Amino acid sequence: MSTPDDTIRFSVSLPRPLLDELDRRVVGKGYASRSELVRDLIRERLVEDAWERGDEEVAGVLTIVYDHHQRELTQHILEVQHQEYVHVVASTHVHIDHHNCLETIILRGLPTQIERLSLEIGGLKGVRFSALTRTSRLGH
């Protein structure tokens, strides 16, 4: 009987150009083996699928850089975070320089809810950079 932690070996046939590209990525991204890269690619696809289905809770990290001198911007960012449809797990705030702050906001909720919050905050006047990193429960 197998357990979720069992590792199964299987063969994959690839055209030479695709295998060469795979090997370039293994080396270029510092992977120890082809298997490690392929595992990461599969995990990435599973996360994408969970976000596309949209029917289960996922998590994300919203990274923003903003001008903390922009009038009432900090208050607007907090107001968006207090909306009920997304759970803010944690946030960090770092002063980059005299004008700019970097904030990471860890979020949990349905994909559409997290994306809506991300777009709301990213669209506020004074937000200079906004990027959402998506993840989900992989169990692997």
Side-chain angles (χ1 to χ4, degrees):
M1 179 171 205
S2 66
T3 66
D5 293 334
D6 287 345
T7 299
I8 309 300
R9 291 180 189 262
F10 68 98
S11 296
V12 176
S13 299
L14 297 174
R16 172 57 66 188
L18 192 54
L19 180 62
D20 292 344
E21 180 60 30
L22 182 73
D23 287 340
R24 276 192 292 280
R25 290 178 186 222
V26 167
V27 171
K29 295 186 180 268
Y31 283 95
S33 67
R34 290 175 180 162
S35 293
E36 287 297 322
L37 175 59
V38 169
R39 279 191 282 273
D40 271 2
L41 292 171
I42 292 169
R43 288 183 193 112
E44 284 177 26
R45 187 63 216 168
L46 292 172
V47 168
E48 289 172 13
D49 287 350
W51 278 75
E52 287 172 12
R53 275 192 321 275
D55 60 354
E56 67 182 55
E57 186 176 80
V58 293
V61 178
L62 178 60
T63 303
I64 58 173
V65 174
Y66 63 92
D67 178 356
H68 75 262
H69 293 297
Q70 179 70 41
R71 191 172 157 213
E72 298 181 10
L73 177 58
T74 303
Q75 183 61 35
H76 290 308
I77 291 170
L78 289 173
E79 287 171 2
V80 173
Q81 290 180 58
H82 281 93
Q83 294 177 14
E84 294 180 33
Y85 56 82
V86 173
H87 179 68
V88 175
V89 177
S91 64
T92 59
H93 181 95
V94 178
H95 301 277
I96 296 176
D97 57 33
H98 181 69
H99 295 283
N100 295 293
C101 292
L102 166 73
E103 197 159 314
T104 59
I105 307 164
I106 302 170
L107 306 162
R108 194 173 63 221
L110 293 176
T112 55
Q113 297 167 335
I114 292 175
E115 288 171 347
R116 186 174 353 157
L117 181 139
S118 172
L119 290 172
E120 272 189 66
I121 290 177
L124 293 172
K125 184 177 180 182
V127 174
R128 296 179 171 163
F129 173 83
S130 177
L132 178 62
T133 303
R134 294 164 177 83
T135 190
S136 67
R137 294 182 201 146
L138 295 174
H140 308 292

